[in-house]
Amino acid sequence: MPFGRATTVRPLTTRGRLVTLGALGAVAALALTGCASNGTASGDATETSGKVARVTVTLTNDGSDRCAVSSSTVGAGPVTFTVKNESSTAITEVELLQDQRILGEKENLAPGLDPVSFTATLTGGKYQVYCPGAEHELTGLTVTGSVKSTANSSAASLLQDGTKGYAEYVDGQVTDMVTAVDELKKDVDAGDLAAAKTDYANARPYYEHVESDVDGFVKKGHKATDNAGNLDYLIDMRASNADPAVGWSGFHAVERDLFANGAITADTKRYADDLATNVHLLAKLVPTLDYKPEDLANGAAGLLEEVQSNKITGEEEAYSHIDLVDLAANVEGSRQAFAYLKPGLTKVDPALTKQIAQQFDATNTLMDGFRNADDLGGFDSWDASTKAAHANAISQQVQALQDPLSRLAEKVATA
């Protein structure tokens, strides 16, 4: 939600109409299968079970933080990655990347927890296992087998394919957010203040990855300008834009109680319950979205506007000061939208594509300097001294990325 926005919020149009809860009709609750699943798997080396290959990623600290991948080569097809954090406090997430796209990930990987897994169906080509905070963050992975050539595909068809992959990414993020918010609600209900603070920081990135895509859903029976029915407003309102007629709600109401008041009350439990209810509603609606290439481009630019207007100022996380967690998530969400457009955009304007990719790399490198395993969410606290020392540098780098990215929508819309 951009800084300074009035209390009314804009609707999001999809399939030519406003999206409301009433538009669900007879759609049942969907079990989404995004880029990450919540199952577990075993196996310390690459192996094949039926038609599924298995790779283990082991995180350790034996003098330095290491990310060991059990194999550098697998065959094409479904691959299950099992992640075990044995002793690393600096590495809290693992991602599977191809050409900057996240194809699978696991986050909040505290040492000593049970192994977790995700499964992705991979075609032949080069991939990378990315472990932010490791001594060697990127490990190459080669997938052998045939791969469909896109050499003769048109830019328009490649861009359209990108929208389909991005839709799966958004669905996966919202599915994981439901799980994270349910955990937050559970610990709030139990009165566990310390656990709830950790849960809050863990849940925030999922929304920040995709907020520009899911900010226009309106409950049935409400107008688009009615904050009482706008899901984005109810989930993510801040004190600075709170509508007195609606009252306090959402993530930041919980944040205020946990971090500023330092207490879980009956009101806190009500806020957490309302948040969980609205996030579950959002998860039912998100699969109804259709994306055009320019939607991805506009969303990517919108997330960077969020960085400049809310995160760098410290307004977003006024009580917990985990703004860098949100900021990094906005950049990551923007990068994913660009990455899914990249094959088609390369045909349209290879120079612009290269420029944007380089600026994303520079921004990621800058943000990696703020990773801190000892702080909530894995990033330095955005307190007054940190903000004074670094806000200008972050803002300048984000602007350097934002300038070429702002040209993207027109390019892909006319491809």
Side-chain angles (χ1 to χ4, degrees):
M1 293 181 288
F3 178 67
R5 179 193 288 181
T7 54
T8 54
V9 288
R10 65 175 178 82
L12 176 69
T13 301
T14 183
R15 294 181 179 150
R17 55 179 166 72
L18 182 70
V19 180
T20 71
L21 289 182
L24 278 173
V27 176
L30 301 177
L32 303 179
T33 55
C35 64
S37 66
N38 293 318
T40 61
S42 61
D44 292 332
T46 305
E47 58 185 67
T48 300
S49 175
K51 295 183 179 180
V52 180
R54 300 189 185 277
V55 175
T56 299
V57 182
T58 305
L59 312 179
T60 58
N61 186 318
D62 300 314
S64 60
D65 289 283
R66 301 183 185 278
C67 175
V69 182
S70 62
S71 179
S72 59
T73 305
V74 295
V79 182
T80 294
F81 293 81
T82 299
V83 184
K84 302 190 299 184
N85 189 345
E86 293 183 349
S87 55
S88 175
T89 57
I91 309 171
T92 60
E93 63 181 292
V94 171
E95 299 173 356
L96 176 66
L97 306 178
Q98 185 184 51
D99 199 17
Q100 296 190 326
R101 290 176 298 163
I102 296 177
L103 304 180
E105 64 180 342
K106 279 298 174 184
E107 299 182 315
N108 309 320
L109 302 171
L113 294 181
D114 291 340
V116 293
S117 70
F118 63 86
T119 299
T121 300
L122 308 180
T123 57
K126 300 293 186 181
Y127 298 77
Q128 292 175 309
V129 176
Y130 176 43
C131 301
E135 182 178 24
H136 301 289
E137 294 187 329
L138 293 169
T139 301
L141 178 70
T142 299
V143 177
T144 59
S146 61
V147 57
K148 181 180 178 182
S149 173
T150 59
N152 296 320
S153 300
S154 69
S157 66
L158 289 172
L159 291 169
Q160 190 58 43
D161 287 345
T163 66
K164 296 174 183 177
Y166 181 73
E168 293 179 0
Y169 166 75
V170 174
D171 289 353
Q173 291 300 307
V174 175
T175 298
D176 286 345
M177 179 173 64
V178 168
T179 301
V181 169
D182 283 348
E183 185 69 15
L184 171 63
K185 179 182 181 302
K186 177 178 73 71
D187 285 328
V188 167
D189 286 343
D192 191 334
L193 182 63
K197 287 182 176 181
T198 299
D199 297 336
Y200 176 83
N202 290 344
R204 289 294 292 156
Y206 298 117
Y207 196 75
E208 297 296 328
H209 287 150
V210 298
E211 63 179 316
S212 62
D213 301 298
V214 299
D215 67 351
F217 291 113
V218 178
K219 290 182 178 182
K220 184 179 179 180
H222 291 268
K223 295 181 179 179
T225 56
D226 182 1
N227 288 324
N230 186 284
L231 280 181
D232 173 62
Y233 182 81
L234 296 174
I235 290 169
D236 205 32
M237 75 165 77
R238 303 181 308 279
S240 59
N241 72 340
D243 183 348
V246 176
W248 197 241
S249 182
F251 270 118
H252 297 300
V254 176
E255 178 204 9
R256 180 191 59 178
D257 283 5
L258 298 182
F259 294 92
N261 298 339
I264 293 174
T265 66
D267 283 341
T268 317
K269 294 178 181 180
R270 177 171 56 83
Y271 301 148
D273 184 66
D274 288 346
L275 175 63
T277 297
N278 288 325
V279 165
H280 278 264
L281 290 175
L282 184 66
K284 292 180 182 180
L285 279 169
V286 165
T288 69
L289 283 171
D290 285 335
Y291 296 95
K292 296 178 180 178
E294 56 266 34
D295 294 333
L296 274 64
N298 289 328
L303 288 172
L304 295 186
E305 291 168 7
E306 283 279 334
V307 168
Q308 297 283 42
S309 61
N310 295 340
K311 277 63 176 189
I312 290 176
T313 63
E315 180 196 0
E316 184 77 31
E317 303 288 356
Y319 310 107
S320 61
H321 304 301
I322 62 165
D323 300 271
L324 290 181
V325 175
D326 291 4
L327 193 158
N330 282 158
V331 172
E332 179 57 46
S334 180
R335 182 168 72 100
Q336 288 310 295
F338 165 72
Y340 279 100
L341 293 174
K342 190 177 179 182
L345 183 62
T346 299
K347 286 180 173 283
V348 175
D349 193 331
L352 178 62
T353 305
K354 182 178 180 180
Q355 182 184 8
I356 294 172
Q358 289 174 337
Q359 290 300 333
F360 267 118
D361 287 344
T363 305
N364 289 340
T365 298
L366 177 64
M367 293 308 301
D368 281 345
F370 296 99
R371 291 187 179 274
N372 185 342
D374 294 329
D375 277 341
L376 283 175
F379 283 86
D380 288 334
S381 176
W382 197 234
D383 53 29
S385 61
T386 307
K387 190 191 316 181
H390 301 290
N392 189 53
I394 295 176
S395 180
Q396 287 181 350
Q397 177 53 51
V398 171
Q399 189 63 52
L401 169 59
Q402 202 168 359
D403 288 342
L405 197 65
S406 67
R407 297 155 52 196
L408 192 59
E410 186 172 323
K411 290 282 185 181
V412 299
T414 56

